[in-house]
Amino acid sequence: MDHQGLARLDRRIAGCRACPRLVDWREEVARTKRAAFADWTYWGRPVPGFGPPDARLLIVGLAPAAHGGNRTGRMFTGDRSGDVLYQALYDVGLASQPTSVHADDGLELYGVRVTGPVHCAPPANKPTPAERDACRPWLVQELRLLRPTVRAAVVLGAFGWQAALPAFAEAGWTVPRPRPAFGHGARVELDAADGPALRLHGCFHVSQRNTFTGKLTPEMLRDVLRTAAGAAGLRPEERG
């Protein structure tokens, strides 16, 4: 597998300026900051994926949060969505610690990589279809580099599902037609002509709206992660 290729890709992603609206927004947020983070130097750039280059399980989100990943420089780090996700990964034995607060906090993921179809924080957490499509080549390249080892993916939310399916197809997996619909607990196997299949799992997004209302509970998230980890051939030891 091409470990250096993924590191190079991450550096290229972090330097992208393809979408003027997103560039303006992420940099404006980094300048003005939130009062609670006034002493932080915000990342203020596209946020690359996080996790080992030989990951067997991929988690696909939506986009970085303005005061989360856009501040810390790491996916799902420094916001409440990340608090829920990394706690669940820790609970099922896929992370070294239950919290993710900054890029140098020592967190390690075990066999898991976290990425998104959009790498810049968008206004109101809503990238446009054009911005989603402009960012897709980055995800396609990441998927191609992960293909030697990745065997399963968890896609968080309908936006991520819709954005990721074309990327999986471009990266070499076969997406059924009509395209499978998103749903929590949805499972789809994507065959590949020149390699192993990818087992795709749908999960409600770890947004505050979903977690505060109980639409997505910690146990529901853990169940999806356990199932996907098993499909990926990971056998983590659960905690608690």
Side-chain angles (χ1 to χ4, degrees), residues 3 8 19-20 29 76 90-91 122 128 134 140 143 172 175 186 199 216 237:
H3 290 206
R8 287 193 296 270
C19 300
V29 169
F76 282 106
Y90 175 79
D91 290 343
T128 67
V140 172
L143 290 169
V175 175
R199 293 173 175 84
L216 178 67
E237 294 185 10

Side-chain angles (χ1 to χ4, degrees), residues 19-205:
C19 300
R21 187 182 80 113
L22 298 187
V23 172
D24 289 347
W25 173 249
R26 79 193 191 208
E27 293 181 354
E28 174 64 18
V29 169
R31 283 192 299 271
T32 58
K33 308 181 182 181
R34 178 176 282 171
F37 306 120
D39 60 342
W40 275 75
T41 299
Y42 274 50
W43 173 256
R45 291 184 278 163
V47 181
F50 168 60
D54 58 351
R56 297 186 65 86
L57 174 62
L58 183 67
I59 297 175
V60 182
L62 193 164
H67 301 282
N70 190 57
R71 171 172 59 91
T72 63
R74 190 166 72 190
M75 284 283 181
F76 282 106
T77 296
D79 61 54
R80 289 185 177 179
S81 294
D83 293 344
V84 173
L85 176 62
Y86 287 115
Q87 178 69 60
L89 286 168
Y90 175 79
D91 290 343
V92 300
L94 295 171
S96 64
Q97 60 192 45
T99 58
S100 181
V101 294
H102 60 82
D104 297 317
D105 61 10
L107 173 66
E108 293 181 58
L109 299 183
Y110 303 137
V112 179
R113 185 170 172 88
V114 180
T115 192
V118 176
H119 288 277
C120 290
N125 292 320
K126 292 182 179 179
T128 67
E131 290 162 350
R132 173 201 64 198
D133 294 347
C135 213
R136 182 179 300 145
W138 294 126
L139 181 57
V140 172
Q141 292 178 61
E142 186 172 16
L143 290 169
R144 287 173 175 162
L145 289 166
L146 291 170
R147 275 197 68 185
T149 59
V150 72
R151 297 294 179 265
V154 173
V155 182
L156 301 172
F159 179 95
W161 185 270
Q162 293 163 4
L165 287 177
F168 287 129
E170 287 186 47
W173 288 282
T174 300
V175 175
R177 291 185 178 277
R179 286 182 181 174
F182 171 77
H184 183 82
R187 301 183 196 178
V188 181
E189 184 159 308
L190 307 183
D191 292 324
D194 58 349
L198 183 77
R199 293 173 175 84
L200 191 60
H201 301 256
C203 180
F204 290 141
H205 196 277

